[in-house]
Amino acid sequence: MILLTRKAEFAAAHYYWNDHWSAEENARVFGKCANRNGHGHNYTLEVTVAGQVDPVTGFVVDLKKLKDLMNTEVVDVYDHRHLNHEVPEFRNRIPTTENMAISIWERLHGAILHQLPGATLHRVRIYENPDLFADYYGGGPA
Ligand SMILES: [Zn+2]
């Protein structure tokens, strides 16, 4: 088995807010990130697939197809959007880096299974900035 990683970048806005809490509690836990006008990040996404190298092509997957899937399933949906307001999964899920990793996994896992034969999604890594990233390998309790 070999692991292959493809990167993509997008920009998006978000804020952190738990509807079950008071404004004071949100401010205490999330600080500046609780400002409901939101703020933006330039995210870097790394999607790693696992598979065998095809002896004929030397590829694990069709790289163009992987790029297209990352674009249609994630980048086109998240890029230049306000995640809380415009991306369905974040209506009930706080768009933290951790939750974004899980959501991106959910978006890509089935698509890769169905459209990239021989490859499986191995890891989603998302950087909120160069100093902070989250990894998700699926499977476990989200
Ligand atoms: Zn933020």
Side-chain angles (χ1 to χ4, degrees):
M1 184 190 75
I2 193 157
L3 301 174
L4 181 75
T5 300
R6 178 139 211 158
K7 275 193 192 189
E9 294 181 342
F10 61 90
H14 69 177
Y15 63 88
Y16 295 168
W17 191 268
N18 185 326
D19 283 332
H20 301 294
W21 295 346
S22 65
E24 292 72 25
E25 186 71 353
N26 275 287
R28 190 183 66 76
V29 173
F30 296 130
K32 287 191 288 188
C33 295
N35 179 337
R36 298 187 84 171
N37 290 317
H39 62 274
H41 294 283
N42 292 316
Y43 291 96
T44 299
L45 170 63
E46 293 179 6
V47 172
T48 301
V49 295
Q52 304 294 332
V53 176
D54 184 313
V56 177
T57 63
F59 295 148
V60 172
V61 292
D62 181 327
L63 290 169
K64 168 81 164 66
K65 272 193 192 164
L66 178 57
K67 183 180 183 178
D68 288 348
L69 274 185
M70 289 168 65
N71 281 335
T72 55
E73 299 296 325
V74 181
V75 176
D76 293 350
V77 183
Y78 288 7
D79 191 34
H80 285 73
R81 297 293 176 180
H82 194 304
L83 298 173
N84 302 70
H85 299 309
E86 297 182 274
V87 177
E89 59 262 36
F90 298 121
R91 291 193 191 286
N92 298 304
R93 179 182 273 179
I94 301 169
T96 58
T97 314
E98 298 90 322
N99 278 337
M100 289 176 73
I102 293 165
S103 297
I104 292 167
W105 177 281
E106 290 169 349
R107 286 181 167 273
L108 287 174
H109 181 63
I112 286 172
L113 266 184
H114 293 116
Q115 296 179 51
L116 293 178
T120 55
L121 182 55
H122 176 73
R123 184 189 75 190
V124 168
R125 170 172 286 180
I126 178 140
Y127 288 82
E128 181 180 278
N129 60 55
D131 299 328
L132 177 70
F133 63 85
D135 286 334
Y136 188 56
Y137 292 84

